Amino acid sequence: MTSVPTPIPSRTQVVLEGIKHRILTGRLTPGQALVETELAAQFGVSKTPVREALKTLAGTGLVVMNQYKGVTVREVDADMAREVYDVRLLLEPEALRRSVRRGASLDAARDALKRADEAADTAERSLANREFHRALYLPCGNPLLGRMLDEVRDQAALVSAVAWSADPSWEREATEHREILRLALEGDADGAARALHSHIASFVQRAYPHAEPTAQEEDGQA
């Protein structure tokens, strides 16, 4: 018998999404302390939904709970970036390849790319870029593969937010996104997958050049 996930109470969900948005758009920075009483006052709730939201965010890897330091936004370093992007390199191009081969609609990806191009600020562009990538892999036909990529999605966005704050590379990535989508829309599954692999690998190489290479880069596949 399949178990049904316990729904998150609405107040907790609001707090959860609010904190996540602040982290992924840079309003809350890596290493910053997250104080329950302060967050409760900001969101107009008791400490209980804040505590539950922080527990959930800890499970996704966006925050760290420490017995002595309390709760902080997760620090991003080269090793963490490589771990997250290694998973993406292994799974995301294959998911896109499958999406293209099964003739899945990529309208959502095209819409997300348009929103990113028209974004008024960094936060809006970042969210649109995340939706672009998700729209490529989600229709792959394997729900488990989609969920696995969703699990690292927030951590990947945190890595990107930190890298962009130090060295914005929006225009280059937008150009790469357009090429990936062009190949996918033309039905070139392998070409789109290769372009996506190169896009992911080059970003982490630029942002964290001193990190250990991923397994795929060591094998010469990047």
Side-chain angles (χ1 to χ4, degrees), residues 45-65:
V45 298
S46 69
K47 290 196 296 183
T48 299
V50 172
R51 187 176 300 118
E52 292 304 314
L54 292 176
K55 287 180 181 178
T56 300
L57 290 170
T60 65
L62 281 184
V63 308
V64 176
M65 290 183 160

Side-chain angles (χ1 to χ4, degrees), residues 195-210:
L196 179 58
H197 188 286
S198 177
H199 168 68
I200 296 171
S202 64
F203 176 83
V204 76
Q205 287 166 3
R206 293 195 309 272
Y208 299 93
H210 303 300

